[in-house]
Amino acid sequence: MATTASIASVTLEVADSEAAHRFYTAFGVDTHIRLRASEAHSTGFRGFTLALTVSGPATVDSFLGAAVDAGATVLKPAAKSMWGYGGVVQAPDGTIWKVATSAKKDTGPATCEIGEIVLLLGVEDVKASKQFYVGRGLTVARSFGGKYAEFASGESSPVKLALYKRRGLAKDLGVPADGTGSHRIILGSSAGPFTDPDGFAWETAPSLTPTPS
């Protein structure tokens, strides 16, 4: 039986690795990502976001507060919506993070626990990109026509991959859709190396294991 491909590692390309490490440690996601020094040119929207799903509104506020205290910029203040509660921040290195919960009310105090991390790639053609990834060995978990697609993640995968229309994703994050240059993110998988139709780069990488503290 063939092994299903999935994300094994997520590497953010940053100008200052030490500063980025301090930020992501304070934010509480340092064990889920890797950092790599890069001076690659990049302007505007990089075409992706990393989204944290947590247990309740208090935990959303706790993560967003920690990010802002560490130097993040608020793109969308935390607020209630039809589907739950969440907000959006941009890290000092330029990466956009969304923190959200489907819970409307807290059932306990804020925690440091992350239920799930989803990497949302903003793509021009969801159906075409979905078929591209299926061809690379990924398995579709959920799909809504040409609007959204989500792939199954392996047991050791730190992040789940999903596809969304680029302009729709930018609108959801509260930023203009235009951007040029590097995406400033490298994805690792047993299916790599390759570059997808929207320019997102993948490399062959082992599973990501947390760094001992």
Side-chain angles (χ1 to χ4, degrees):
M1 183 175 178
T3 301
T4 300
S6 61
I7 296 178
S9 64
V10 173
T11 300
L12 299 178
E13 295 187 328
V14 299
D16 188 331
S17 298
E18 290 186 6
H21 177 70
R22 288 194 297 270
F23 172 80
Y24 287 115
T25 299
F27 188 21
V29 300
D30 55 304
T31 60
H32 300 280
I33 59 171
R34 292 172 173 172
L35 301 171
R36 182 181 299 171
S38 173
E39 296 294 340
H41 174 73
S42 181
T43 63
F45 183 40
R46 295 178 182 171
F48 75 91
T49 188
L50 283 155
L52 309 182
T53 301
V54 298
S55 60
T59 301
V60 170
D61 290 338
S62 178
F63 271 99
L64 293 176
V68 171
D69 289 345
T73 301
V74 176
L75 296 180
K76 273 193 171 182
K80 292 181 180 179
S81 68
M82 290 181 63
W83 49 263
Y85 181 83
V88 182
V89 295
Q90 187 168 31
D93 65 87
T95 303
I96 296 175
W97 291 81
K98 184 175 184 177
V99 186
T101 178
S102 59
K104 299 292 181 70
K105 296 181 179 180
D106 287 307
T107 56
T111 73
C112 296
E113 296 179 6
I114 299 170
E116 186 175 63
I117 302 180
V118 180
L119 170 61
L120 279 158
L121 300 184
V123 301
E124 292 301 324
D125 188 327
V126 172
K127 288 184 177 180
S129 291
K130 179 178 69 175
Q131 288 306 118
F132 174 86
Y133 280 110
V134 168
R136 292 288 174 172
L138 278 74
T139 300
V140 177
R142 291 194 299 165
S143 180
F144 300 95
K147 295 182 178 180
Y148 178 83
E150 186 178 288
F151 298 93
S153 56
E155 291 183 4
S156 61
S157 179
V159 176
K160 179 178 289 186
L161 177 67
L163 308 175
Y164 197 36
K165 292 283 288 185
R166 180 185 173 98
R167 291 196 174 278
L169 180 59
K171 183 178 180 180
D172 181 61
L173 299 173
V175 298
D178 297 333
T180 61
S182 172
H183 290 296
R184 288 292 193 102
I185 188 171
I186 304 294
L187 308 178
S189 170
S190 59
F194 61 87
T195 300
D196 83 356
D198 292 274
F200 289 97
W202 290 66
E203 63 185 14
T204 302
S207 297
L208 179 68
T209 54
T211 303
S213 54

PDB file of all heavy atoms in Angstrom, residues 171-187:
ATOM      1  N   LYS A 171      -8.584  38.715   0.930  1.00  0.00           N
ATOM      2  CA  LYS A 171      -9.729  39.452   1.483  1.00  0.00           C
ATOM      3  C   LYS A 171     -10.027  39.003   2.902  1.00  0.00           C
ATOM      4  O   LYS A 171     -10.277  39.828   3.794  1.00  0.00           O
ATOM      5  CB  LYS A 171     -10.957  39.249   0.597  1.00  0.00           C
ATOM      6  CG  LYS A 171     -12.187  40.031   1.058  1.00  0.00           C
ATOM      7  CD  LYS A 171     -13.350  39.817   0.104  1.00  0.00           C
ATOM      8  CE  LYS A 171     -14.578  40.599   0.585  1.00  0.00           C
ATOM      9  NZ  LYS A 171     -15.732  40.400  -0.339  1.00  0.00           N
ATOM     10  N   ASP A 172      -9.964  37.699   3.130  1.00  0.00           N
ATOM     11  CA  ASP A 172     -10.222  37.158   4.463  1.00  0.00           C
ATOM     12  C   ASP A 172      -9.192  37.643   5.477  1.00  0.00           C
ATOM     13  O   ASP A 172      -9.502  37.835   6.655  1.00  0.00           O
ATOM     14  CB  ASP A 172     -10.214  35.630   4.406  1.00  0.00           C
ATOM     15  CG  ASP A 172     -10.508  34.996   5.753  1.00  0.00           C
ATOM     16  OD1 ASP A 172     -11.601  35.239   6.299  1.00  0.00           O
ATOM     17  OD2 ASP A 172      -9.641  34.273   6.277  1.00  0.00           O
ATOM     18  N   LEU A 173      -7.958  37.859   5.013  1.00  0.00           N
ATOM     19  CA  LEU A 173      -6.882  38.290   5.899  1.00  0.00           C
ATOM     20  C   LEU A 173      -6.811  39.802   6.055  1.00  0.00           C
ATOM     21  O   LEU A 173      -6.089  40.309   6.908  1.00  0.00           O
ATOM     22  CB  LEU A 173      -5.536  37.771   5.367  1.00  0.00           C
ATOM     23  CG  LEU A 173      -5.407  36.253   5.264  1.00  0.00           C
ATOM     24  CD1 LEU A 173      -4.099  35.885   4.571  1.00  0.00           C
ATOM     25  CD2 LEU A 173      -5.486  35.602   6.635  1.00  0.00           C
ATOM     26  N   GLY A 174      -7.543  40.518   5.210  1.00  0.00           N
ATOM     27  CA  GLY A 174      -7.550  41.971   5.298  1.00  0.00           C
ATOM     28  C   GLY A 174      -6.366  42.637   4.639  1.00  0.00           C
ATOM     29  O   GLY A 174      -5.930  43.707   5.073  1.00  0.00           O
ATOM     30  N   VAL A 175      -5.833  42.006   3.562  1.00  0.00           N
ATOM     31  CA  VAL A 175      -4.685  42.591   2.855  1.00  0.00           C
ATOM     32  C   VAL A 175      -4.962  42.624   1.353  1.00  0.00           C
ATOM     33  O   VAL A 175      -5.767  41.835   0.855  1.00  0.00           O
ATOM     34  CB  VAL A 175      -3.392  41.778   3.112  1.00  0.00           C
ATOM     35  CG1 VAL A 175      -3.031  41.796   4.580  1.00  0.00           C
ATOM     36  CG2 VAL A 175      -3.529  40.341   2.605  1.00  0.00           C
ATOM     37  N   PRO A 176      -4.301  43.511   0.592  1.00  0.00           N
ATOM     38  CA  PRO A 176      -4.433  43.508  -0.865  1.00  0.00           C
ATOM     39  C   PRO A 176      -3.886  42.199  -1.424  1.00  0.00           C
ATOM     40  O   PRO A 176      -2.948  41.623  -0.871  1.00  0.00           O
ATOM     41  CB  PRO A 176      -3.578  44.701  -1.305  1.00  0.00           C
ATOM     42  CG  PRO A 176      -3.493  45.580  -0.098  1.00  0.00           C
ATOM     43  CD  PRO A 176      -3.472  44.642   1.067  1.00  0.00           C
ATOM     44  N   ALA A 177      -4.448  41.726  -2.526  1.00  0.00           N
ATOM     45  CA  ALA A 177      -4.049  40.432  -3.091  1.00  0.00           C
ATOM     46  C   ALA A 177      -2.743  40.494  -3.870  1.00  0.00           C
ATOM     47  O   ALA A 177      -2.113  39.465  -4.115  1.00  0.00           O
ATOM     48  CB  ALA A 177      -5.157  39.901  -3.998  1.00  0.00           C
ATOM     49  N   ASP A 178      -2.325  41.694  -4.269  1.00  0.00           N
ATOM     50  CA  ASP A 178      -1.132  41.821  -5.105  1.00  0.00           C
ATOM     51  C   ASP A 178       0.144  41.533  -4.321  1.00  0.00           C
ATOM     52  O   ASP A 178       0.265  41.873  -3.143  1.00  0.00           O
ATOM     53  CB  ASP A 178      -1.056  43.221  -5.701  1.00  0.00           C
ATOM     54  CG  ASP A 178      -2.224  43.511  -6.632  1.00  0.00           C
ATOM     55  OD1 ASP A 178      -2.770  42.554  -7.207  1.00  0.00           O
ATOM     56  OD2 ASP A 178      -2.594  44.694  -6.774  1.00  0.00           O
ATOM     57  N   GLY A 179       1.098  40.908  -4.989  1.00  0.00           N
ATOM     58  CA  GLY A 179       2.395  40.632  -4.384  1.00  0.00           C
ATOM     59  C   GLY A 179       3.359  40.133  -5.439  1.00  0.00           C
ATOM     60  O   GLY A 179       2.946  39.546  -6.447  1.00  0.00           O
ATOM     61  N   THR A 180       4.644  40.361  -5.224  1.00  0.00           N
ATOM     62  CA  THR A 180       5.660  39.911  -6.179  1.00  0.00           C
ATOM     63  C   THR A 180       6.829  39.276  -5.432  1.00  0.00           C
ATOM     64  O   THR A 180       7.004  39.476  -4.231  1.00  0.00           O
ATOM     65  CB  THR A 180       6.200  41.079  -7.022  1.00  0.00           C
ATOM     66  OG1 THR A 180       6.816  42.041  -6.142  1.00  0.00           O
ATOM     67  CG2 THR A 180       5.087  41.760  -7.793  1.00  0.00           C
ATOM     68  N   GLY A 181       7.622  38.520  -6.189  1.00  0.00           N
ATOM     69  CA  GLY A 181       8.824  37.937  -5.605  1.00  0.00           C
ATOM     70  C   GLY A 181       8.573  36.616  -4.910  1.00  0.00           C
ATOM     71  O   GLY A 181       7.595  35.920  -5.175  1.00  0.00           O
ATOM     72  N   SER A 182       9.455  36.278  -3.998  1.00  0.00           N
ATOM     73  CA  SER A 182       9.434  34.997  -3.308  1.00  0.00           C
ATOM     74  C   SER A 182       8.236  34.863  -2.363  1.00  0.00           C
ATOM     75  O   SER A 182       7.816  35.825  -1.735  1.00  0.00           O
ATOM     76  CB  SER A 182      10.729  34.824  -2.508  1.00  0.00           C
ATOM     77  OG  SER A 182      10.671  33.675  -1.689  1.00  0.00           O
ATOM     78  N   HIS A 183       7.710  33.632  -2.256  1.00  0.00           N
ATOM     79  CA  HIS A 183       6.670  33.353  -1.271  1.00  0.00           C
ATOM     80  C   HIS A 183       7.267  33.329   0.136  1.00  0.00           C
ATOM     81  O   HIS A 183       6.542  33.433   1.130  1.00  0.00           O
ATOM     82  CB  HIS A 183       6.007  32.007  -1.556  1.00  0.00           C
ATOM     83  CG  HIS A 183       5.149  31.996  -2.784  1.00  0.00           C
ATOM     84  ND1 HIS A 183       4.012  32.761  -2.902  1.00  0.00           N
ATOM     85  CD2 HIS A 183       5.251  31.296  -3.949  1.00  0.00           C
ATOM     86  CE1 HIS A 183       3.445  32.528  -4.082  1.00  0.00           C
ATOM     87  NE2 HIS A 183       4.188  31.663  -4.743  1.00  0.00           N
ATOM     88  N   ARG A 184       8.580  33.131   0.232  1.00  0.00           N
ATOM     89  CA  ARG A 184       9.303  33.061   1.503  1.00  0.00           C
ATOM     90  C   ARG A 184       8.845  31.886   2.377  1.00  0.00           C
ATOM     91  O   ARG A 184       8.814  31.982   3.602  1.00  0.00           O
ATOM     92  CB  ARG A 184       9.167  34.377   2.281  1.00  0.00           C
ATOM     93  CG  ARG A 184       9.938  35.570   1.726  1.00  0.00           C
ATOM     94  CD  ARG A 184      11.465  35.377   1.859  1.00  0.00           C
ATOM     95  NE  ARG A 184      12.176  36.616   1.620  1.00  0.00           N
ATOM     96  CZ  ARG A 184      12.685  37.392   2.595  1.00  0.00           C
ATOM     97  NH1 ARG A 184      12.555  37.038   3.851  1.00  0.00           N
ATOM     98  NH2 ARG A 184      13.341  38.499   2.281  1.00  0.00           N
ATOM     99  N   ILE A 185       8.475  30.779   1.744  1.00  0.00           N
ATOM    100  CA  ILE A 185       8.115  29.567   2.474  1.00  0.00           C
ATOM    101  C   ILE A 185       8.535  28.362   1.644  1.00  0.00           C
ATOM    102  O   ILE A 185       8.395  28.361   0.418  1.00  0.00           O
ATOM    103  CB  ILE A 185       6.605  29.517   2.790  1.00  0.00           C
ATOM    104  CG1 ILE A 185       6.281  28.331   3.719  1.00  0.00           C
ATOM    105  CG2 ILE A 185       5.763  29.466   1.525  1.00  0.00           C
ATOM    106  CD1 ILE A 185       4.859  28.353   4.249  1.00  0.00           C
ATOM    107  N   ILE A 186       9.105  27.362   2.327  1.00  0.00           N
ATOM    108  CA  ILE A 186       9.517  26.118   1.678  1.00  0.00           C
ATOM    109  C   ILE A 186       8.833  24.972   2.418  1.00  0.00           C
ATOM    110  O   ILE A 186       8.889  24.891   3.650  1.00  0.00           O
ATOM    111  CB  ILE A 186      11.044  25.912   1.743  1.00  0.00           C
ATOM    112  CG1 ILE A 186      11.783  27.124   1.135  1.00  0.00           C
ATOM    113  CG2 ILE A 186      11.427  24.623   1.029  1.00  0.00           C
ATOM    114  CD1 ILE A 186      11.581  27.313  -0.339  1.00  0.00           C
ATOM    115  N   LEU A 187       8.199  24.082   1.665  1.00  0.00           N
ATOM    116  CA  LEU A 187       7.490  22.952   2.265  1.00  0.00           C
ATOM    117  C   LEU A 187       8.287  21.675   2.044  1.00  0.00           C
ATOM    118  O   LEU A 187       8.801  21.443   0.965  1.00  0.00           O
ATOM    119  CB  LEU A 187       6.103  22.832   1.644  1.00  0.00           C
ATOM    120  CG  LEU A 187       5.286  24.133   1.668  1.00  0.00           C
ATOM    121  CD1 LEU A 187       3.956  23.935   0.983  1.00  0.00           C
ATOM    122  CD2 LEU A 187       5.087  24.602   3.094  1.00  0.00           C
TER     123      LEU A 187
END
